[in-house]
Amino acid sequence: MLLVLAALAPASAVAEAPAADQSMAGYFVRVPTPRELASAGSRAGRGGHIAGRAVLVCLVKADGNLTECRIEDETPTGAGFGAAAMKLRSKFKLRPTTADGVSVEGGSVRIPLSFAPR
């Protein structure tokens, strides 16, 4: 079984925390459950035997769902951590950004995910 830590940070952030970044917690309406994280990561890293990480960058739709996600980074390359992170993209939902009380599309979010054997 894998232990997966997600650090949630805006795309403009420079630093990323090794565990969930509480400063972003209020922006997320939904994040993957521990079971969903473990399921996505169990096929990566030689069946969960090596640690790795992936960073997703996604655009935020007006309804708070993510779209146009891409893998910004994957370590080690080719071990499946990027694919595991991409499987989780539909499990994240952000509080929509509003302008004059109306939800608007735009902005991006950077989601670093760390996968560690457990």
Side-chain angles (χ1 to χ4, degrees):
M1 178 173 221
L2 290 174
L3 170 66
V4 181
L5 304 173
L8 310 173
S12 59
V14 175
E16 56 187 66
D21 179 355
Q22 295 304 309
S23 68
M24 287 296 294
Y27 292 100
F28 283 84
V29 175
R30 185 185 191 299
V31 295
T33 66
R35 183 180 300 256
E36 290 167 335
L37 291 166
S39 176
S42 66
R43 292 175 200 82
R46 297 187 191 130
H49 292 92
I50 63 171
R53 64 185 299 276
V55 178
L56 288 181
V57 175
C58 305
L59 296 179
V60 182
K61 294 172 46 175
D63 64 3
N65 288 312
L66 303 180
T67 188
E68 297 184 42
C69 294
R70 65 178 172 81
I71 302 165
E72 180 182 77
D73 184 39
E74 176 186 19
T75 307
T77 302
F81 295 111
M86 286 295 279
K87 287 180 184 177
L88 294 169
R89 69 186 179 271
S90 66
K91 305 299 182 185
F92 288 94
K93 184 170 184 170
L94 282 83
R95 191 169 315 286
T97 302
T98 58
D100 297 324
V102 178
S103 294
V104 295
E105 288 195 22
S108 63
V109 65
R110 185 174 188 264
I111 306 173
L113 296 160
S114 297
F115 300 86
R118 187 166 175 199

